[in-house]
C-alpha cells in the first residue's frame, strides 16, 4: 500500500519543486543557515566528532554535566515534529514542546530578542536544510533530586526576562547609528555574547541582559571550563580599551590579531560562528562593543609599555625565578620584550588575559597548551604545546606571576595551590586545547 | 592481491612532500579532485615539533626519527657493474625522509634558484669550451627548460616559502648587495635576509679581502613573521639550530606542513591518505595510459586507486624505482647506453675546511639556522674559466652555521686522539671556537652511474630493492680539489690557530658510512628527446602522457645549489602546463 503511494508523493514533490514557492524556501533556508551561524548553534549542539547539530555535547555545570539536544529534523529524536510555534516558544521562553523548561545553558534569554524574521528563517533551516540524524537525547549527569525540571520553571520566571517584543526587522544599513544598532542586535540577541562575558549571579543568571541595563553587561569574569571570560567593555582589566574596531573584526574573523589570539572556550565561537559571519556584521559587532564604557571603578587607561624587564632579560639578568622559566620556555615565541610576533605568536605585553584580577586562563593555557583554530581567512592552526608535564605548580605560579607584573602588565599574582586546583580540574588535557 | 578498489579520482599523487603539496594545491584550484598517498605517518609542528621534546638530538639525529628506517625499506649500493650490491642497512650517507612533508619537513632551508647556464649545461660547455671538453663517458645534457620560463615559478615558490634573502638584480636594476652572479629576478625576496652569525661575518670579510663576492644565503627560515599567499603563517626564526633532521617547533622553517597543508586541508576536493605505500603504477593494455596505482596500507591491504592523471612526487630515487617496478619505459643499460629509466643518477660532491681559533675568540656555533649564512658563487656554475682547469662543474662555498648539536658537533683538530682525556679536553677547547666552511659541489652524470632493480634482495612486499651503482669520477675530484684550495685560501685569511681540510683524493671511492648529503637526483630525467630522457620539459612522461614524474629525479645532472628551490619551481611549472594546456587537450604536450 505504502509502496503504491510513493509515485504520488514523488509527483507532489515535483510540483513543489517546480513552483516559485520552493525557490523562496531555498532562500529562506539559506538565510536561516546564516542565522544559525550568528547564533552559533553548532558550538553546543554538535558533539566532538559527532554529527552536525545532533547534540550530545557535554556542558559542565556546577551540578554536573548536561548534554545538548538533537536539533536535527529527525522525527523521533530531533525536532522533526515541532511546529514553528513550538520552536519560537522554546527560543523566546525556554519552554520545550512537552512543556518542560530547558536548562539555562540554552541562552533563550538572548534568543528572545531575535526578530520573527530571523527565527522563521532559522526554523526553516533547522527543519528543512539540515539532514535528520537519529540520536537520542542524553539525560544529564545531575543527581536525581537536583535534576528535577520544575525548579527551572521558577528560575525562568524569576531570572529570564519576559520576552522582548520582537523587532520588526533587524537594522541592516550603513549609517553609523544603524551599524551600532545592528551590532547591538547581534551581540545581545543571536550572538548571546553575554552568556559567557556577563558576570552571573548565585543562581547562574546573567546579572544583566543588555547594554541598557548597566555597565555590568559584558564586563567579564565568568569562568567557563576553567577559562575566564574577559570583559568586552572599554576597560584595561582585561577589556578592549586598546582595541580598534578593526582589531575586533580581525579577531572575530581570524581568531587572531595584533593584541592576541583566541583560546579555550572562544575557539568554537570563532570556528563555527564569527569566522563565517559577513564583514558588515563583524563591523557592526565591533562598532557596538566600542560604545560600551568601562565598568564602574575600573581603569580606562590603555596599557602602557614598560621596558624595564625587557632590558633586564636582554642583559641576561633574571629578576625572578619566573623570569628564568620564561626565558627558557616561552621567550622563543613570545620574545624577551613580551611583544611576540603579532598575528602569529600573541604578545604578552598588554595582553588582556594578563591584566585582569584572575589569572586562571594564563595558568590553564600553560598547563594545557592551545591550538588556534584554522579558519578560512587564516588557515594556520598554530599550536602552543602543553607544559603540564614540564613545569610543576610552583614553577607555573612563578611564571604567571612574572607575566602579570612585567612589561607594564598589571595582572594578578598566582600561588602554587591555585595552580594545583586548575591542574586538577583540567587533568585530562594534555593535548593543546583546540576547537 | 588487490582486495579493494577506491572510488575513481581525477588525480592521484604519490608522495606528499613539497611536490605533492604543490601539485595538490594547484590541481584542486583547477577544480580537480585530488587524492595524495603518503607512505609515512601524518606529521605536524605539533606534536613532532613540540618544544622542548623536538630539540632532542638523540631521537632525531642519532636515531633518525623522521626518516625511513632500513627495516621498512632500503636500497642496495655498489661502486661498479662488476660488484655485487649490498643493502644499505644503517642510515648514514643519505637520509630518505618519510611521512607527511617528506624531505620538506626535515630539510635545512637553503632555498636557491639555479644558475641559468646549468639548465643548458651541455650546450653551454660545448659553446664556450668546445665539443671535446666534455669527457666521453660524461652523459650531461640540457634540461629542456630555460631560466626565463621558470622565473615566475621561482618567484611564486619564494612567496609561498616565505624566503628571506637579499636580491642583487630585480627587473634589470641592481637593488642591493645580493649575489652578483644571480640571474635577473622579477621580484625581491618576500622577507629581508636573515641576520649573520659572527662566523658568517668573519667569512664575509675574508672572502671580500680575497677578491670574491660574498652574499647572504637565501633561506626558507623566516627572518620575520610572515603570511604567505595561501594565508599560511610562519613565526620568525630564533636561530635555535634544530632544522635539518627536525620538525621546526617555531613555524619558522618552510615546510609543506606549515606553508601549504593548512590551506589545502580546507579544500573539499583534496584527500590525504597516510601510511599508503604505492607498489606500482598501472597502465592500460596499450601501455600508453596510466590507469592509477596500487598501494599497500599499514594493515597490509592492497588497494587500487584509479585516476585520470598520475603524478609521481616521491623521494628522489623512488620516482625511477616506481617506473622500474611498473615496467613503464625502457630500463637504462650502461653497456649499450640505451634505455632511460635509471639513467644519470647523481649525488652532491662536497668538501670542508674547519678553522680552530684561540680561547679568546668565541664563535658560538650552537647559534644557527639551516638556511642561514654567507656564500660565494665565484666558483659555482660557469662563473669562472674552466678552460685551463679541465673539469666540468663547480661549487658555492659557504659558512652555513646551522647550529651545532652536542653529540654530532664534537669537532676537534686533526691529530687529536679519538677518545679519552685528550679528546675530551680538545672537545671542550674547540666547541666554542671553531668555524666550518663548506663547498657544496656538483656531481656530473656518468655513463656507469645509474639505478636498476636488484637481482638479489627484495622487500617485505616481495619487490626487488632498488640498486644504486655509483662512484666518484676524476672530473669531480678535480673540481672539488680546486674549489677546496680556494676555500682554504679564505680560511687562512680568517687567521685561525689551526685548520683541517677534508677533500677528495683521486681514486677515492664512494663511502656510504658517513653522512654527506641527502641531495640525490636523476634517474627519471627531463630533456628534449625520449631517446635520452624519461619526461619532457613539462615533466610529462614521453610515452604515458597522463603520467607526470616530478622532483629531483628529473635533474639531468647534479647542480651546485641545494635542490629544493628548483624542485618547487619545476612543480609549479608543470602544474601550470597541466592547468593551461593538458586539461584542455589531454595528450603529449611535446611531440617526440
Amino acid at each position: 500500500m505504502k509502496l503504491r503511494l510513493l509515485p504520488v508523493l514523488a509527483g507532489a514533490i515535483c510540483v513543489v519543486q517546480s513552483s516559485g514557492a520552493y525557490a523562496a524556501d531555498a532562500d529562506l533556508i539559506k538565510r536561516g543557515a546564516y542565522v544559525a551561524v550568528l547564533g552559533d548553534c553548532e558550538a553546543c549542539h554538535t558533539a566532538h566528532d559527532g554529527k552536525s547539530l545532533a547534540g550530545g555535547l557535554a556542558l559542565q555545570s556546577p551540578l554536573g554535566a548536561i548534554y545538548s539536544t538533537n536539533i536535527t529534523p529527525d522525527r523521533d529524536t530531533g525536532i522533526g515534529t515541532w511546529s514553528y510555534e513550538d520552536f519560537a516558544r522554546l527560543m523566546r521562553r525556554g519552554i520545550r514542546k512537552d512543556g518542560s523548561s530547558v536548562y539555562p545553558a540554552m541562552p533563550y534569554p538572548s534568543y528572545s530578542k531575535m526578530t520573527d524574521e530571523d527565527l522563521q528563517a532559522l526554523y526553516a533551516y533547522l527543519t528543512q536544510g539540515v539532514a535528520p540524524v537519529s540520536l537520542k537525547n542524553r539525560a544529564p549527569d545531575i543527581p536525581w533530586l537536583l535534576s528535577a525540571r520544575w525548579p527551572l520553571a521558577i528560575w525562568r520566571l524569576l531570572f529570564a526576562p519576559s520576552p522582548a517584543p520582537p523587532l520588526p526587522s533587524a537594522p541592516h544599513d550603513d549609517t553609523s547609528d544603524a551599524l551600532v544598532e545592528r551590532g547591538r542586535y547581534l551581540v545581545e540577541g543571536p550572538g548571546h555574547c553575554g552568556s559567557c562575558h556577563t558576570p552571573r549571579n548565585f543562581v547562574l543568571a546573567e546579572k544583566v541582559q543588555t547594554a541598557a541595563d548597566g555597565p555590568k553587561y559584558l564586563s567579564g569574569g565568568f569562568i567557563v571550563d576553567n577559562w575566564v571570560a574577559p570583559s568586552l567593555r572599554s576597560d584595561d582589566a582585561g577589556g578592549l580599551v586598546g582595541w580598534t574596531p578593526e582589531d575586533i573584526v580581525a579577531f572575530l574573523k581570524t581568531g587572531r590579531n595584533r593584541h592576541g589570539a583566541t583560546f579555550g572556550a572562544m575557539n568554537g565561537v570563532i570556528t563555527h560562528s564569527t569566522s563565517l559571519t559577513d564583514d558588515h556584521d563583524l563591523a557592526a559587532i565591533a562598532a557596538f562593543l566600542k560604545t560600551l564604557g568601562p565598568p564602574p571603578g575600573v581603569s580606562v587607561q590603555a596599557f602602557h609599555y614598560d621596558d624595564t624587564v625587557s632590558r633586564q632579560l636582554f642583559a641576561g639578568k633574571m629578576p625572578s625565578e619566573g623570569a628564568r622559566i620564561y626565558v627558557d620556555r616561552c621567550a622563543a615565541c613570545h620574545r624577551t620584550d613580551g611583544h611576540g610576533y603579532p598575528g602569529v605568536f600573541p604578545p604578552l605585553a598588554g595582553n588582556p588575559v594578563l591584566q585582569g584580577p584572575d589569572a586562571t586562563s594564563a595558568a590553564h593555557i600553560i598547563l594545557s597548551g592551545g591550538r588556534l583554530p584554522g579558519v578560512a581567512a587564516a588557515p594556520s592552526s598554530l599550536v602552543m604545546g602543553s607544559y603540564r608535564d614540564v613545569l610543576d605548580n610552583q614553577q607555573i605560579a612563578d611564571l604567571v606571576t612574572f607575566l602579570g607584573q612585567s612589561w607594564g602588565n598589571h595582572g594578578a599574582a598566582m600561588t602554587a595551590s591555585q595552580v594545583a586546583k586548575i591542574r586538577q580540574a583540567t587533568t585530562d588535557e594534555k593535548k593543546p586545547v583546540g576547537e | 592481491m588487490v582486495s579493494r578498489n577506491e572510488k575513481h579520482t581525477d588525480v592521484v599523487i604519490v608522495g606528499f612532500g613539497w611536490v605533492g603539496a604543490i601539485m595538490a594545491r594547484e590541481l584542486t584550484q583547477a577544480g580537480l579532485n585530488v587524492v595524495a598517498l603518503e607512505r609515512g605517518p601524518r606529521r605536524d609542528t605539533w606534536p613532532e615539533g613540540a618544544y622542548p621534546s623536538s630539540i632532542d638530538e638523540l631521537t632525531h639525529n642519532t636515531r633518525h626519527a623522521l626518516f625511513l628506517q632500513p627495516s621498512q625499506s632500503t636500497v642496495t649500493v655498489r661502486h661498479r657493474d662488476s660488484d655485487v650490491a649490498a643493502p644499505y642497512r644503517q642510515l648514514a650517507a643519505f637520509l630518505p625522509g618519510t611521512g607527511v612533508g617528506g624531505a620538506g619537513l626535515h630539510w635545512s632551508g637553503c632555498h636557491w634558484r639555479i644558475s641559468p647556464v646549468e639548465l643548458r649545461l651541455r650546450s653551454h660547455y660545448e659553446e664556450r669550451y668546445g665539443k671535446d671538453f666534455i669527457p666521453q663517458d660524461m652523459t650531461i645534457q640540457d634540461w629542456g627548460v630555460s631560466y626565463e620560463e621558470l622565473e615566475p615559478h621561482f618567484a611564486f615558490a619564494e612567496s609561498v616559502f616565505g624566503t628571506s634573502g637579499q636580491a642583487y638584480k630585480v627587473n634589470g636594476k641592481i637593488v642591493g648587495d645580493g649575489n652578483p652572479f644571480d640571474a635577473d629576478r622579477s621580484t625581491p625576496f618576500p622577507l629581508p635576509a636573515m641576520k649573520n652569525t659572527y662566523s658568517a661575518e668573519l667569512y664575509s670579510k675574508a672572502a671580500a679581502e680575497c677578491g670574491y663576492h660574498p652574499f647572504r644565503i637565501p633561506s626558507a627560515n623566516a627572518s620575520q613573521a610572515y603570511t604567505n599567499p595561501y594565508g599560511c603563517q610562519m613565526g620568525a626564526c630564533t636561530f635555535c639550530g634544530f632544522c635539518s633532521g627536525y620538525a621546526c617547533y617555531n613555524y619558522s622553517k618552510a615546510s609543506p606542513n606549515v606553508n601549504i597543508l593548512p590551506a589545502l586541508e580546507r579544500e573539499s576536493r583534496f584527500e590525504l591518505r597516510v601510511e599508503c605505500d604505492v607498489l606500482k603504477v598501472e597502465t592500460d593494455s596499450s601501455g600508453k595510459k596510466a590507469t592509477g596505482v596500487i598501494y599497500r596500507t599499514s594493515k597490509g591491504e592492497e588497494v587500487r586507486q584509479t585516476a585520470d592523471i598520475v603524478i609521481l612526487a616521491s623521494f628522489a630515487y623512488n620516482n625511477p624505482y616506481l617506473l622500474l617496478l611498473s615496467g613503464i619505459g625502457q630500463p637504462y643499460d650502461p653497456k649499450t647506453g640505451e634505455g632511460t629509466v635509471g639513467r644519470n643518477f647523481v649525488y652532491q660532491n662536497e668538501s670542508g675546511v674547519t678553522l680552530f681559533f684561540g680561547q679568546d675568540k668565541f664563535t658560538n656555533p650552537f647559534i644557527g639556522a639551516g638556511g642561514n649564512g654567507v656564500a660565494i658563487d665565484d666558483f659555482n656554475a660557469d662563473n669562472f674559466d674552466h678552460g685551463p682547469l679541465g673539469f666540468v662543474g663547480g661549487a658555492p662555498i659557504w659558512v652555513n652555521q646551522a647550529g651545532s648539536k652536542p653529540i654530532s658537533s664534537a669537532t676537534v683538530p686533526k691529530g687529536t686522539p679519538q677518545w679519552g682525556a685528550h679528546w675530551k679536553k680538545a672537545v671542550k677547547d674547540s666547541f666554542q671556537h671553531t668555524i666550518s666552511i663548506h663547498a657544496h659541489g656538483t656531481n656530473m652524470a656518468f655513463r656507469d652511474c645509474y639505478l636498476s632493480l636488484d637481482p638479489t634482495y627484495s622487500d617485505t612486499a616481495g619487490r626487488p630493492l632498488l640498486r644504486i651503482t655509483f662512484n666518484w669520477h676524476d672530473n669531480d675530484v678535480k673540481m672539488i680539489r680546486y674549489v677546496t684550495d680556494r676555500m682554504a685560501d679564505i680560511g687562512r685569511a680568517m687567521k685561525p690557530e689551526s685548520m683541517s681540510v677534508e677533500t677528495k683524493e683521486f681514486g677515492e671511492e664512494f663511502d656510504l658510512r658517513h653522512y654527506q648529503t641527502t641531495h640525490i637526483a636523476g634517474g627519471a630525467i627531463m630533456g628534449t628527446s625520449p631517446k635520452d630522457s624519461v619526461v619532457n620539459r613539462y615533466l610529462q612522461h614521453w610515452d604515458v602522457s597522463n603520467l607526470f614524474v616530478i622532483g629531483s629525479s628529473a635533474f639531468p645532472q647534479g647542480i651546485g645549489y641545494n635542490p629544493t628551490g628548483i624542485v618547487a619551481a619545476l612543480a609549479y611549472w608543470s602544474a601550470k602546463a597541466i592547468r593551461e594546456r593538458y586539461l584542455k587537450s589531454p595528450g603529449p604536450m611535446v611531440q617526440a
Side-chain angles (χ1 to χ4, degrees), chain A residues 256 328-329 332-333 341 343-345 371 374-376 378-383 385-387 390 430-432, chain B residues 44 46 50-52 224-227 230-238 249-252 258 262-263 266:
Chain A
R256 58 207 89 183
D328 277 355
R329 302 295 184 190
C333 294
Y341 291 96
V344 180
F345 303 139
R371 177 184 282 279
V375 296
S380 291
S381 180
L382 306 172
V383 171
S386 155
Y387 285 79
V390 179
K430 284 187 181 167
K431 277 190 177 179
Chain B
D44 207 346
W46 192 93
Y51 182 83
Q224 297 174 359
Y226 182 68
T227 303
Y230 302 150
C232 298
Q233 293 180 297
M234 302 175 81
C237 174
T238 63
Y249 69 76
N250 212 48
Y251 299 90
S252 306
V258 168
R266 305 191 62 78

Side-chain angles (χ1 to χ4, degrees), chain B residues 13-17 36-42 97-102 272-278:
Chain B
I13 297 177
V14 181
F16 196 79
L37 302 170
E38 167 53 47
R39 68 178 170 185
R42 188 169 281 277
T98 193
V100 170
L272 173 59
R273 288 184 213 143
V274 298
E275 295 175 1
C276 294
D277 190 9
V278 173

Side-chain angles (χ1 to χ4, degrees), chain B residues 354-356 408-431 433-434 436 498-502:
Chain B
T354 309
L355 314 178
F356 298 90
S408 59
S409 297
T411 311
V412 290
K414 268 213 168 123
T416 304
Q418 293 192 349
W419 55 278
H422 288 290
W423 178 80
K424 285 182 191 165
K425 182 173 186 310
V427 169
K428 189 164 164 284
D429 288 348
S430 305
F431 183 73
H433 313 285
T434 60
S436 297
S498 68
M499 183 168 98
S500 61
V501 178
E502 294 286 338

